[in-house]
Amino acid sequence: MKEFIEPNLSAIFIKLFERYPDLRSCAAEIAEAAAIMAAAAGSGAKFLVCGNGGSAADADHICGELIKSFCKKRPIAKELAAKLTSLDAASVGKSGRNCGAILAEKLQAGIPAIALTQHPALSTAFSNDVDPDLVFAQQCQVFGQPGDIFIGISTSGNAKNVYSAAYTAKAAGLKIVGLTGKSGGKLKELCDVCICVPRSETYEVQELHLPVYHALCLYIEDCLW
């Protein structure tokens, strides 16, 4: 991972607003979220992301773009690459000859990101034993550390489990970024920045969330690589 260098913000987001003119109404919030998220990623912070239904898929999608290469090459740290190849020279893994060299070539640097939606054993156990509305909150208080980023996705802004997670994340010292529809709902009250796309119908909100978080992930990648 390279030293954090802020690129020309407008070069990334002008294209977004040309393709989706309606998003100009939340341009300031998108830019603010980009700055917060890129700075956190540059400091080694992790991202915790959650949502329901289609927004759960979006949470996983965001993590996928952060954990691996998106549009730029992301070579792993030279120190790790050297250690991997040195294992080959030491014949540590005789049955996997040149495994270190392959790993050093093909592994990609990334940003720690956890989709809180992807733990079915935990989610079903906690839902059954405690409270289904607090599954994401439980994970936030375990995983979250001050300076990390919580991204809550709710088309209405009123999803109880997302709101409870944001509440917990805020208490734990995480920065809160919301992705919602036009009203922002209750979630907006907790956010450091809330991107309220100008739609109210669920599927239309989700259609605008995708280009927003793609642009944010592109911006973070530009800053770090």
Side-chain angles (χ1 to χ4, degrees):
M1 190 178 295
K2 294 183 178 179
E3 179 183 357
F4 174 83
I5 300 173
E6 185 171 341
N8 183 351
L9 184 63
S10 63
I12 295 171
F13 291 102
I14 283 177
K15 185 176 180 180
L16 172 68
F17 301 138
E18 287 176 347
R19 293 169 60 216
Y20 301 93
D22 288 356
L23 290 174
R24 292 192 178 105
S25 65
C26 44
E29 289 78 12
I30 292 172
E32 185 178 359
I36 290 172
M37 293 165 66
S43 71
K46 78 175 78 67
F47 287 65
L48 306 179
V49 196
C50 67
N52 298 292
S55 296
D58 287 330
D60 196 33
H61 190 163
I62 290 169
C63 291
E65 308 298 18
L66 294 174
I67 293 170
K68 61 172 287 295
S69 174
F70 187 12
C71 288
K72 289 191 170 185
K73 290 184 178 180
R74 300 187 193 176
I76 62 173
K78 292 180 180 179
E79 295 81 3
L80 177 58
K83 289 179 180 179
L84 285 167
T85 54
S86 71
L87 291 177
D88 291 341
S91 299
V92 170
K94 293 182 179 179
S95 61
R97 192 174 301 278
N98 296 323
C99 181
I102 294 169
L103 290 166
E105 176 188 359
K106 294 188 176 181
L107 290 181
Q108 301 173 347
I111 296 158
I114 302 172
L116 305 181
T117 55
Q118 298 300 307
H119 304 105
L122 165 67
S123 297
T124 52
F126 197 86
S127 295
N128 184 62
D129 299 342
V130 186
D131 189 332
D133 287 338
L134 303 185
V135 169
F136 298 151
Q138 171 65 18
Q139 294 179 75
C140 281
Q141 68 90 17
V142 172
F143 294 134
Q145 296 293 327
D148 288 345
I149 297 287
F150 171 80
I151 303 176
I153 312 171
S154 171
T155 58
S156 68
N158 294 318
K160 291 181 180 179
N161 53 3
V162 176
Y163 182 83
S164 296
Y167 210 96
T168 305
K170 194 171 190 70
L174 282 69
K175 292 287 188 181
I176 314 298
V177 176
L179 277 173
T180 72
K182 188 175 182 178
S183 74
K186 295 195 302 181
L187 182 62
K188 186 177 180 179
E189 302 168 1
L190 296 176
C191 292
D192 291 281
V193 56
C194 190
I195 300 170
C196 307
V197 301
R199 291 289 186 277
S200 298
E201 192 69 42
T202 296
Y203 73 91
E204 292 183 342
V205 174
Q206 292 171 339
E207 287 172 356
L208 289 180
H209 278 174
L210 188 148
V212 169
Y213 65 69
H214 266 172
L216 291 171
C217 290
L218 283 169
Y219 179 73
I220 293 169
E221 188 173 65
D222 260 17
C223 287
L224 274 62
W225 286 280

